[in-house]
């Protein structure tokens, strides 16, 4: 009996599934977004309904026979008769349901027959059109035929095409390619309503500085240790953030600021990317990325912008309006966000699911990129041809769309993070309570300590050594016995430890984290190793695959790299000491000197809450990668009567470089302002980054377009026997020994980074605000 019931039930499921397969949701009518359900295949649908009705009738007869047989058998079982009767109640109920289904199927069959007759009569004209479409030959749409051919072969490869109404007919291909995508002209027989004049855009809501961070904490959400860490950090720094926001509000003096709709998608926290950070939050893993993201969230919120925060792929798809499928189709509606802040993982997820819309909207993306992406690695064709292709680059974005933790290269925008500021009372307390013989080691993982016994032994002669290495109770960390290990400390307790210590010492890893700045801000001296040779992708596994060729802080000249280049280059002695750890005498001498040196707590302005608010405000207000004017392209042949417009550059009074001519008009779209521009010629062994730095300036890649002209060589008295336009991240440049000049053919390759002994480069430099290297003096 159970077997027969099972067969009957699965037969019923199979028939219902078969019937459902005859119904197809299609998008017809005037718009691909209007859904109408149409029953396809009259004969097939009628046949299925008839077979289903017959089988249900047969199933009921067998059930009836089975019931009679069961009753007759149970009659002879005496007192046990009630048990089979109880057991048979579900079968009786099932038979009642089958009878009801059979009646419904009979009713449906009649209605389907009526619908099919009507639809066949009413749809003849439309079906004729849908089957008789021809691919238009329009020179304005040269890719149409090829796209139709692709659709014929691959339209079933992604369900998103069916979502937009594609059903395998020529006309459905053309409707999709003309109304959803833009490769074919509109079909003349479609109801193309006359374009009504679009209403004037609604006035933008003005951004107002926020004073309550509670709503931000709600937006961040729960469920991950990483999110809990970020929320704790925001709460801890809340008062500093609020004070800084009030100061910046006063500085801007009521300046109008449009409120931006911003999506923050933290891709490395999604399950699809592995979310490797959340499990390590409580185990001493690298937290620099989460520190930075917490500060980015606080900055954008306090500046008064409308935020959405996602840490899952499903939320991302929902916010973007991604159609169902595998990501080959455009978004279902215009992107509702002015800006999207994400990381490399999120960038990959967006490209995978946005289809053609990714190319359309990528100018709105800002990529939080810890180590930076140089132009040579960003340009896909160039990176592939010249061997710069890595796991992370080749996105063809504007290089300044990448935002770094430290100002590694001016090719990218410096996002940064914040360190805790001290008031006067706290600064005085720290100075009076420093223990000159106390050192804290930079590194929460036991692996960092391996092979450092020699340095630790020398340090132990003069100072008491403290560590914050994570360990589990059953397995203590492998650190020397003379080290006082506190285990993994909460941020507040770690700060208290730094306020007592005299020295914060790094053993080469992690690279460029936030901890050294926190230590210096708490009155510590930071001692770090000098790398010789510099660490890079050529000799160190950590840098392999990263889209940068910089050898940590190697910028040319006599400099070599170190664990924390920013601390070495922008802070330096007495707060930062960089020594050769392989030289025991130099290392020991540095420790003795540091113990005698008095330093005050120091924090660069750009790493304060106000500094970060100021910087991000300027980026949001002035950086526009969607409407940025294009650099001049290679000139075409001109008639003798045609003359080039006068150069806006002029020779400086001392004739060493070019400046923006006072008589030249200002470019209203240029940011930074063009009057901050200076054009210098590099030495053969110097990058433009180093060339500008040696003159107390910063290389500004957005200015390359003003000096990528042959006339600029003439103004600088550089003789050019020939001038060529080529793709090379070192151009514009001159090969002096052969008098050959080169101009940049590809704007995305304008780069402050890199040098070649063959060339002297033309370098665009600008001034900068004290303590705020990302902004020029008049950039705010």
């Amino acid at each position: 009996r159970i077997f027969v019931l099972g067969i009957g039930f699965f037969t019923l499921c199979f028939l219902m599934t078969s019937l459902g397969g005859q119904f197809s949701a299609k998008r017809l009518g005037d718009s691909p977004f209007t859904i109408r359900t149409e029953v396809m295949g009259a004969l097939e649908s009628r046949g299925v309904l008839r077979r289903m009705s017959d089988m249900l009738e047969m199933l009921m007869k067998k059930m009836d026979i089975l019931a009679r047989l069961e009753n007759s058998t149970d009659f002879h079982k005496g007192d046990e008769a009630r048990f089979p009767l109880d057991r048979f109640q579900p079968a009786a109920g099932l038979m009642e349901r089958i009878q009801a289904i059979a009646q419904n199927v009979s009713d449906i069959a009649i209605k389907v027959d009526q619908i099919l007759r009507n639809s066949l009569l009413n749809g003849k004209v439309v079906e004729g059109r849908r089957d008789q479409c021809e691919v238009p030959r329009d020179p304005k749409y040269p890719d149409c035929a090829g796209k139709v051919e692709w659709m014929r072969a691959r339209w079933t490869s992604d369900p998103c095409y069916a979502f937009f109404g594609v059903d395998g007919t020529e006309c459905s291909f053309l409707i999709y390619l003309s109304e959803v995508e833009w490769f074919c002209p509109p079909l003349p027989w479609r109801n193309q309503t006359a374009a009504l004049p679009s209403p004037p855009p609604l006035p933008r809501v003005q951004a107002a500085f926020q004073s309550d961070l509670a709503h931000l904490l709600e937006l961040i959400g729960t469920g991950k240790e990483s999110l809990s860490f970020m929320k704790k950090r925001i709460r801890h720094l809340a008062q500093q953030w609020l004070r800084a926001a009030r100061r910046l509000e006063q500085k801007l003096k009521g300046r109008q600021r449009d409120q931006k709709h911003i999506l923050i998608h933290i891709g490395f926290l999604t399950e699809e990317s592995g979310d490797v950070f959340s499990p390590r939050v409580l185990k001493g893993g690298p937290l620099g990325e989460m520190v930075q993201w917490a500060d980015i969230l606080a900055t954008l919120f306090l500046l008064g912008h409308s935020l959405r925060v996602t840490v899952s792929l499903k939320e991302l798809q929902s916010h973007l309006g991604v159609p169902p499928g595998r990501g080959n189709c455009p978004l279902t509606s215009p992107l509702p966000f002015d800006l999207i802040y994400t990381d490399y993982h999120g960038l990959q997820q967006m490209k995978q699911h946005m289809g053609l819309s990714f190319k359309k909207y990528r100018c709105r993306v800002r990529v939080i990129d810890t180590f930076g992406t140089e132009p040579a690695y960003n340009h896909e064709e160039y990176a592939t041809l010249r061997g710069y292709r890595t796991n992370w680059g080749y996105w063809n974005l504007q290089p300044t769309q990448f935002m770094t933790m430290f100002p590694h290269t001016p090719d990218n925008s410096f996002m940064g993070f914040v360190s805790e500021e001290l008031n006067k009372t706290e600064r005085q307390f720290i100075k009076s309570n420093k223990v000159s013989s106390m050192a804290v080691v930079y590194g929460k993982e036991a692996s960092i300590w391996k092979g450092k016994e020699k340095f630790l032994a020398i340090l132990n002669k003069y100072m008491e050594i403290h560590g914050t290495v994570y360990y589990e109770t059953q397995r203590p960390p492998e650190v020397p016995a003379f080290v006082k290990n506190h285990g993994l400390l909460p941020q507040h307790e770690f700060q208290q430890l730094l306020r007592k210590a005299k020295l914060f010492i790094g053993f080469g890893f992690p690279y460029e984290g936030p901890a050294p700045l926190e230590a210096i801000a708490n009155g510590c001296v930071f001692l770090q190793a000098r790398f010789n040779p510099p660490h890079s992708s050529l000799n160190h596994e950590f840098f392999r695959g990263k889209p940068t060729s910089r050898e940590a802080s190697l910028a040319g000249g006599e400099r070599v790299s170190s664990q924390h280049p920013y601390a070495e280059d922008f802070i330096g002695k007495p707060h930062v000491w960089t020594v050769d750890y392989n030289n025991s005498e130099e290392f020991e001498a540095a420790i003795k000197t540091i113990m005698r040196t008095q330093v005050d707590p120091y924090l660069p302005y750009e790493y304060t809450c106000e500094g970060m608010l100021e910087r991000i405000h300027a980026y949001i207000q002035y950086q526009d990668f969607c409407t940025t004017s294009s650099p001049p392209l290679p000139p075409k042949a001109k008639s003798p009567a045609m003359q080039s417009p006068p150069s806006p550059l002029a020779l400086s009074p001392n004739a060493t470089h070019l400046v923006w001519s006072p008589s030249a008009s200002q470019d209203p779209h240029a940011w930074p302002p063009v009057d901050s521009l200076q054009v210098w010629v590099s030495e053969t062994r110097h990058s433009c980054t180093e060339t500008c730095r040696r003159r107390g300036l910063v290389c500004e890649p957005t200015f390359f377009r003003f000096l990528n002209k042959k006339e600029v060589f003439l103004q600088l008295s550089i003789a050019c026997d020939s001038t060529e336009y080529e793709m090379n991240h070192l151009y514009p440049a001159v090969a002096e020994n052969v008098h050959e000049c080169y101009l940049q053919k590809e704007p995305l390759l304008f780069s402050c980074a890199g040098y070649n002994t063959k060339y002297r480069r033309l370098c665009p430099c600008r001034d900068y605000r004290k303590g705020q290297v990302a902004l020029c003096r008049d950039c705010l």
Side-chain angles (χ1 to χ4, degrees):
R1 185 182 61 192
I2 294 174
F3 175 75
V4 173
L5 286 173
I7 290 294
F9 176 74
F10 284 111
T11 302
L12 178 62
C13 293
F14 171 76
L15 288 172
M16 292 297 291
T17 305
S18 299
L19 179 64
Q22 305 300 319
F23 292 84
S24 176
K26 304 179 65 56
R27 298 184 179 275
L28 305 172
D30 294 339
S31 168
F33 300 99
T34 303
I35 299 176
R36 185 174 71 184
T37 302
E38 183 181 28
V39 182
M40 298 299 295
L43 295 176
E44 292 86 346
S45 295
R46 292 191 186 103
V48 168
L49 288 168
R50 189 179 299 110
R51 290 195 302 273
M52 184 174 181
S53 180
D54 293 342
M55 291 195 71
L56 285 170
E57 185 178 354
M58 185 183 301
L59 181 61
M60 283 193 300
K61 289 179 180 178
K62 291 185 178 181
M63 290 284 290
D64 186 57
I65 295 170
L66 180 64
R68 288 199 299 270
L69 179 63
E70 187 74 19
N71 287 336
S72 63
T73 304
D74 291 338
F75 178 75
H76 300 286
K77 292 186 179 179
D79 294 337
E80 297 179 1
R82 64 181 181 274
F83 297 106
L85 288 174
D86 291 339
R87 290 198 300 268
F88 193 70
Q89 292 302 317
L94 178 60
M95 198 163 75
E96 291 176 3
R97 291 190 182 94
I98 292 174
Q99 287 174 333
I101 292 172
Q103 183 61 45
N104 288 336
V105 168
S106 178
D107 295 340
I108 291 172
I110 296 171
K111 292 179 181 178
V112 166
D113 189 67
Q114 294 173 349
I115 292 171
L116 289 173
R117 291 177 186 276
N118 293 333
S119 63
L120 288 173
L121 290 173
N122 297 332
K124 284 183 178 178
V125 176
V126 175
E127 289 296 329
R129 284 179 177 171
R130 291 173 66 246
D131 292 334
Q132 294 175 11
C133 283
E134 294 183 1
V135 179
R137 305 296 177 184
D138 190 330
K140 295 179 181 178
Y141 298 89
D143 298 322
C144 183
K147 290 292 181 180
V148 171
E149 189 65 31
W150 188 96
M151 292 292 287
R152 287 193 194 107
R154 301 291 304 278
W155 75 272
T156 58
S157 64
D158 194 325
C160 72
Y161 297 117
F163 174 83
F164 282 112
V166 177
D167 60 7
T169 61
E170 292 290 293
C171 285
S172 69
F173 298 155
L174 291 170
I175 290 171
Y176 174 83
L177 291 171
S178 61
E179 298 179 16
V180 181
E181 295 184 6
W182 46 87
F183 294 104
C184 295
L187 298 176
W189 56 270
R190 296 281 289 175
N191 275 343
Q192 303 295 331
T193 56
L196 299 175
S198 56
L202 296 174
R204 295 298 297 255
V205 175
Q206 291 301 298
F209 282 90
Q210 298 296 306
S211 57
D212 183 5
L213 287 165
H215 181 54
L216 173 61
L217 299 178
E218 292 178 8
L219 285 173
I220 294 174
T222 57
K224 292 179 179 286
E225 290 293 343
S226 301
L227 300 179
S228 299
F229 174 88
M230 289 190 277
K231 289 164 74 171
K232 287 178 183 177
R233 176 174 174 82
I234 292 171
R235 288 192 198 98
H236 180 68
L237 295 174
Q239 294 306 312
Q240 292 195 22
W241 278 118
L242 294 173
R243 287 195 295 268
R246 287 193 291 268
R247 291 195 296 268
L248 180 59
E249 186 175 14
Q250 294 170 359
K251 188 184 297 185
L252 295 178
K253 299 175 182 177
R255 192 176 305 173
Q256 295 294 300
R257 300 182 301 117
D258 288 342
Q259 185 187 64
K260 304 291 186 181
H261 295 279
I262 300 176
L263 175 65
I264 298 105
H265 176 61
I266 310 176
F268 72 82
L269 292 184
T270 60
E271 298 300 329
E272 290 76 12
S273 67
D275 188 12
V276 295
F277 284 89
S278 290
R280 301 174 69 185
V281 170
L282 301 179
K283 298 182 180 180
L287 304 180
E289 288 87 349
M290 283 178 282
V291 164
Q292 187 182 33
W293 275 107
D295 297 345
I296 291 169
L297 287 164
T299 300
L300 296 174
F301 181 81
L302 288 168
L303 288 171
H305 300 292
S306 174
L307 308 184
R308 290 289 180 272
V309 183
T310 69
V311 291
S312 79
L313 187 56
K314 286 185 179 179
E315 289 178 325
L316 174 68
Q317 292 172 323
S318 174
H319 286 308
L320 294 178
V322 175
R326 299 187 179 92
N328 290 303
C329 298
L331 302 181
T332 57
S333 57
L335 186 70
F337 300 103
D338 302 300
L339 295 170
I340 299 176
Y341 286 82
T342 189
D343 53 23
Y344 262 124
H345 294 284
L347 194 64
Q348 182 64 50
Q349 291 167 352
M350 288 169 57
K351 182 179 181 182
Q352 182 180 353
H353 293 279
M354 290 176 68
L356 290 173
S357 296
F358 178 78
K359 185 175 182 180
K360 179 179 180 181
Y361 293 120
R362 64 184 177 183
C363 60
R364 303 187 190 183
V365 174
R366 307 292 184 267
V367 184
I368 308 304
D369 176 13
T370 303
F371 291 95
T373 298
E374 293 175 5
Y377 295 80
N378 170 62
H379 191 278
E380 184 174 18
E381 180 187 356
Y382 185 77
T384 304
L385 292 174
R386 299 295 185 93
Y388 291 104
R389 183 92 182 213
T390 66
N391 296 334
W392 297 106
Y394 61 84
W395 285 94
N396 292 326
L397 300 178
Q398 293 292 335
T400 37
Q401 287 179 255
F402 297 98
M403 299 187 144
T404 59
M405 185 173 281
F406 292 95
H408 308 301
T409 168
D411 289 326
N412 303 144
S413 297
F414 163 45
M415 170 61 77
F417 58 93
V418 304
S419 287
E420 189 170 353
E421 299 175 72
L422 305 176
N423 58 37
K424 290 182 179 180
T425 304
E426 291 170 327
R427 293 166 67 91
Q428 189 58 44
F429 176 82
I430 287 175
K431 288 179 67 175
S432 59
N433 286 274
K434 278 289 178 185
V435 180
S436 60
S437 60
M438 179 178 174
V440 175
V441 174
Y442 180 18
K444 303 172 188 175
E445 296 182 359
S447 59
I448 295 172
W449 297 65
K450 291 181 180 179
K452 309 300 187 300
E453 292 79 9
K454 181 179 178 182
F455 315 133
L456 290 168
I458 297 174
L459 182 61
N460 189 47
K461 289 167 53 178
Y462 301 95
M463 308 184 87
E464 180 181 83
I465 305 174
H466 294 251
T468 58
V469 182
Y470 168 81
Y471 66 95
E472 297 171 353
T473 348
Q474 64 271 25
R475 191 178 66 179
E478 299 175 7
V479 297
F482 54 77
V483 175
K484 185 177 181 180
N485 184 34
H486 300 262
L488 191 63
L489 293 177
Q491 187 67 14
H492 177 69
E493 294 182 27
F494 181 63
Q495 295 274 358
Q496 296 302 317
L497 190 66
L498 292 177
R499 292 182 180 188
K500 292 181 182 178
K502 175 73 173 182
L503 177 67
F504 189 62
I505 180 170
F507 285 141
F509 191 84
Y511 297 103
E512 300 176 310
L517 265 67
E518 294 177 352
I520 295 166
N522 282 287
C524 293
V525 173
F526 177 51
L527 176 64
Q528 64 172 343
R530 178 185 294 119
F531 297 148
N532 191 11
H535 289 185
S536 72
S537 59
L538 301 177
N539 60 15
H540 202 279
E541 186 63 31
F542 180 82
F543 288 101
R544 193 160 292 128
K546 291 183 169 57
T548 172
S549 58
R550 71 185 185 91
E551 299 177 336
S553 70
L554 184 66
E558 301 300 322
R559 294 188 181 177
V560 291
S561 62
S562 60
Q563 180 177 353
H564 204 289
Y566 177 85
E568 179 186 10
D569 294 335
F570 288 86
I571 301 177
K573 292 182 179 180
H575 301 281
V576 179
W577 289 63
T578 305
V579 301
D580 182 1
Y581 280 22
N582 293 320
N583 186 328
S584 300
E585 294 180 358
E586 182 183 356
F587 179 76
E588 190 168 359
I591 293 172
K592 292 178 181 178
T593 307
I594 288 169
M595 292 180 68
R596 298 191 302 266
T597 304
Q598 296 296 320
V599 296
D600 292 330
Y602 173 72
L603 180 63
Y605 174 75
E606 55 200 354
Y607 284 98
T608 65
C609 292
E610 184 178 354
M612 186 166 183
L613 283 165
E614 180 182 275
R615 183 167 61 251
I616 307 313
H617 153 72
Y619 288 156
I620 293 175
Q621 193 76 3
Y622 300 112
Q623 279 187 339
D624 184 356
F625 302 111
C626 298
T627 58
T628 302
S629 49
S630 303
L633 296 174
K636 297 180 180 178
K638 298 179 181 179
S639 65
M642 295 177 64
Q643 294 183 353
S644 300
S647 171
L649 302 175
L651 202 61
S652 64
N654 58 6
T656 57
H657 60 282
L658 301 180
V659 296
W660 194 264
S661 173
S663 60
S665 60
Q666 299 279 330
D667 185 340
H669 301 293
W671 189 84
V674 290
D675 54 8
S676 64
L677 168 64
Q678 297 183 27
V679 182
W680 290 83
V681 183
S682 76
E683 299 298 328
T684 54
R685 292 184 177 272
H686 290 170
S687 66
C688 283
T689 301
E690 178 67 7
T691 298
C692 297
R693 182 183 294 170
R694 285 172 173 256
R695 290 160 178 81
L697 303 168
V698 174
C699 182
E700 179 51 62
T702 60
F703 286 158
F704 268 112
R705 61 195 180 100
F706 297 117
L707 50 101
N708 192 45
K709 302 175 182 178
K710 184 175 181 179
E711 306 87 78
V712 175
F713 290 110
L714 299 176
Q715 288 181 285
L716 289 166
S717 301
I718 295 174
C720 299
D721 291 343
S722 65
T723 305
E724 301 290 340
Y725 276 83
E726 294 182 11
M727 282 202 316
N728 191 308
H729 69 286
L730 301 180
Y731 295 167
V734 55
E736 280 192 321
N737 52 344
V738 290
H739 301 289
E740 294 177 348
C741 297
Y742 300 92
L743 297 175
Q744 182 59 259
K745 183 180 180 181
E746 173 50 67
L748 288 181
L749 287 174
F750 284 136
S751 177
C752 294
Y755 67 85
N756 187 304
T757 55
K758 178 182 176 181
Y759 302 117
R760 296 183 69 194
R761 301 188 57 189
L762 299 190
C763 299
C765 307
R766 63 162 170 84
D767 55 34
Y768 60 93
R769 298 168 67 88
K770 184 178 180 181
Q772 186 72 287
V773 70
L775 304 180
C776 68
R777 291 171 189 166
D778 297 323
C779 276
L780 194 58

